[in-house]
């Protein structure tokens, strides 16, 4: 499912127009991104938790040359599915 199909599904399920559904989806995604930028978690009970994972700087190897390279520290988004969400897939 892509974003357009998701907007269509939201519009159908909620009775909103596609334009309003797209605005609601965009606002939701922007809110989640904004919270993660502040290192906050977003917990949606029954669905899951969005959080930020910090990765330490490490030393890796270039697979072509075998030369060591430094991999800088970084942050990455992570998602942990909630129990209700997991159970819905079984």
């Amino acid at each position: 499912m892509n974003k357009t199909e998701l907007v269509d599904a939201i519009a159908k399920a909620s009775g909103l127009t596609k334009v309003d559904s797209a605005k609601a989806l965009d606002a939701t995604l922007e809110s989640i991104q904004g919270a993660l930028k502040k290192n906050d978690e977003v917990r949606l009970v029954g669905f899951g938790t969005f959080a930020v994972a910090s990765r330490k700087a490490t030393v890796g190897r270039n697979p072509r040359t075998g030369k060591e390279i430094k991999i800088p520290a970084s942050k990455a988004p992570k998602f942990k599915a909630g129990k209700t969400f997991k159970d819905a897939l079984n």
Side-chain angles (χ1 to χ4, degrees):
M1 178 181 280
N2 62 31
K3 186 176 178 181
T4 302
E5 293 167 339
L6 182 57
V7 167
D8 291 342
I10 292 169
K12 186 176 180 181
S14 68
L16 295 172
T17 65
K18 288 183 184 181
V19 171
D20 289 340
S21 297
K23 287 179 183 178
L25 178 59
D26 289 340
T28 301
L29 296 177
E30 287 174 15
S31 297
I32 292 170
Q33 288 176 359
L36 294 179
K37 282 182 182 179
K38 296 177 186 175
N39 273 344
D40 289 338
E41 286 186 348
V42 178
R43 292 178 187 223
L44 303 173
V45 176
F47 183 72
T49 302
F50 295 91
V52 176
S54 296
R55 296 182 181 166
K56 295 180 181 179
T58 61
V59 176
R61 291 203 179 272
N62 181 328
R64 289 187 181 183
T65 64
K67 183 179 179 182
E68 286 189 355
I69 56 172
K70 292 181 182 177
I71 301 170
S74 64
K75 293 181 181 180
K78 69 177 182 176
F79 175 76
K80 182 177 180 185
K83 183 178 180 344
T84 306
F85 186 36
K86 288 179 191 177
D87 292 346
L89 300 177
N90 293 328

